[in-house]
Amino acid sequence: MFVRCWWECKLVQPLWKAVWKFLKELKAELPFDPAITLLDIYPKEYELFCPKDICMHMFIATLFAIAKAWN
């Protein structure tokens, strides 16, 4: 249920894709994976190259935006 609401919902998909597009512009190449955004679990091969601080702030802001839109 949690993953469905925050990640798989068709209304939310465009927002997540926009976040990933922005991260690509910042040179943060991440797989489109809910474990990264929802659980802060990064693949080992991306740990050294990914700006985690930027990503985590983006993901938290996205989750708040989703929650606000649903209220």
Side-chain angles (χ1 to χ4, degrees), residues 12-70:
V12 175
Q13 282 296 309
L15 181 59
W16 282 124
K17 288 181 182 179
V19 169
W20 245 255
K21 183 179 176 185
F22 182 74
L23 289 174
K24 275 189 176 185
E25 291 175 11
L26 295 177
K27 307 289 188 236
E29 294 291 332
L30 292 173
F32 195 67
D33 184 358
I36 296 170
T37 57
L38 302 175
L39 303 173
D40 195 29
I41 298 173
Y42 294 82
K44 287 191 183 254
E45 62 268 14
Y46 292 97
E47 281 192 64
L48 298 175
F49 305 107
C50 175
K52 287 185 181 180
D53 294 336
I54 292 171
C55 294
M56 186 43 69
H57 291 300
M58 291 278 300
F59 300 148
I60 290 171
T62 305
L63 293 174
F64 274 108
I66 293 167
K68 186 176 180 181
W70 279 346

